[in-house]
Each structure stands twice: as structure tokens, then as C-alpha cells.
Amino acid sequence: MTTTTHRRPLRLPGQAAAHEGPVDMSVMYLMHHAFRRDLHAFAEVVPLTPVEDRETWRALAARWELFSAPLHHHHTGEDTWLWPFLMDRATESEQATLEAMEAEHAEIDPGLAACAAGFARLADHADEDARAGLAVRLCAVREALARHLRHEESDTIALLQRVMTQDEWEQIDKELVKGVTFPFLLRTIPWVMHGVPAEAREHVFASSGLAHRVLWRLTRPRFERLHARAFRYAP
């Protein structure tokens, strides 16, 4: 007789839903929290950062890269591995949801590229028009990504918990982490854990192990310095 373990799902600020099921979605929810957190912070600080402050704009451009690289990896992994797996087990209506997931990625990605170009421009030039355009694009991307994450957490993860096992999730996770370098991991750990409430952080460390906690403690100071330089004008 096979016993299915239903794990207590992680719940973070801004999260739309937390479906119970056999699959531990903690890493997914951590990533979503980081995406929401960063886009909110960027949208708030860009209008307040003086266009002539080159040092801060360069820090913001570097901080944007720290946000956008994991997001690009996240979307690519879902499109390449996760959605096709779920599509094979989904009902017709659920397949339409998965097709919407991929379409939403295609909608968001050009906005992310436009924001990256805006940060690069402002890192090199004092350009009021570029800052105004970047502020508008950030708000648009923030809203588009918020809709997508809400859709994914409410509907797609419910499907995932119905049709997937933890072992199957771990097999896909092995594909998702292929090509992830150790330096990328060292940058990502303090980034994803930034601003996570203490109780949720302990929930994560309890399952991820001592190595995760140690790496976070070692890498956190450098990340916090970069974050503080980039968001020095935050309200």
C-alpha cells in the first residue's frame, strides 16, 4: 500500500494560494516571493533616484541582473520541463491553463528586456526621459508578473499537486538545475532569502539542511551591501 504524504505548504506575503499535496513547493514559493518583492522595490525606487547619481544607477543595474537572471532561468525551466510534463496529465481545461502560462511568459519577457535596457542606459547617462520610461515599464511588468504568479499559484499548482509525486518533482528539479553554476547559486541564495519572514525561513532551512543555512549566512552580508547601495533612495 502506497501512502501519499501531504506536506504543510509554505505561505509567504503576497502569495495567492498554498495548495496541499505530495509535492514540496517551497522553492517555487520562495522564488515567487522574491520576484514580487523586487519588482515592487524597483518600481518604488526608480522615480526617486536622481538621474545624475551614476554610482547608484550602476548598483541598480547590477541588482536588476541579480533579479532577472533567476527569473529567466525559472521561466525557461517551466516552459521546457514543467509545463510539458503537466500537459500530458491535464484535462482539456487544465491544458488551456498551461497554454496560458506559456503565453504569459511570452508577454512578460519583452518587458523585462526593456527594463534591462533602461537600467543600462541610466547606468551610463543622466537621462530623465529614460527614467520616466523605465518607471512606466516597471509598473507594467510588475502588474503582468503579479497576474501570472496569481494564476500559477491558484490554478497550475493545484493541478501539479493532483497529478505529480515528490519523486517526479525531484526528477524535473534535476533538469532545472543543470547548468546552474556554483557562483550563480551563491548569488541566488541570499537574494531569494532576503525579506523572508523568520518563521518561513526556519521552515525552509528545516527541510533544506544545514548547508543551505551556512551558505546563506556566509553570502548574506555581501548581498545586503549591494542591495543597500542600489535602494539607497527607497522610501
Side-chain angles (χ1 to χ4, degrees), residues 115-132:
C115 289
F119 280 113
R121 170 68 182 174
L122 285 155
D124 288 336
H125 302 279
D127 188 331
E128 293 279 3
D129 290 340
R131 183 179 64 174

Side-chain angles (χ1 to χ4, degrees), residues 8 21 28 32 35 44 46 61 66 77 80 88 100 115 117 125-126 141 154 159 173-174 187 190 194 234:
R8 179 171 66 90
M28 179 80 81
H32 287 190
F35 299 149
E44 280 202 326
V46 159
L66 191 55
T80 305
D88 287 342
C115 289
H125 302 279
V141 170
S154 298
L159 162 63
D173 189 56
K174 289 179 182 177
R187 293 191 299 272
H194 179 69

Side-chain angles (χ1 to χ4, degrees), residues 76-86 172 175-176 178:
T76 300
E78 288 179 335
D79 290 341
T80 305
W81 298 104
L82 186 55
W83 304 156
F85 178 95
L86 295 176
I172 286 183
E175 300 295 340
L176 297 178
K178 283 182 178 177

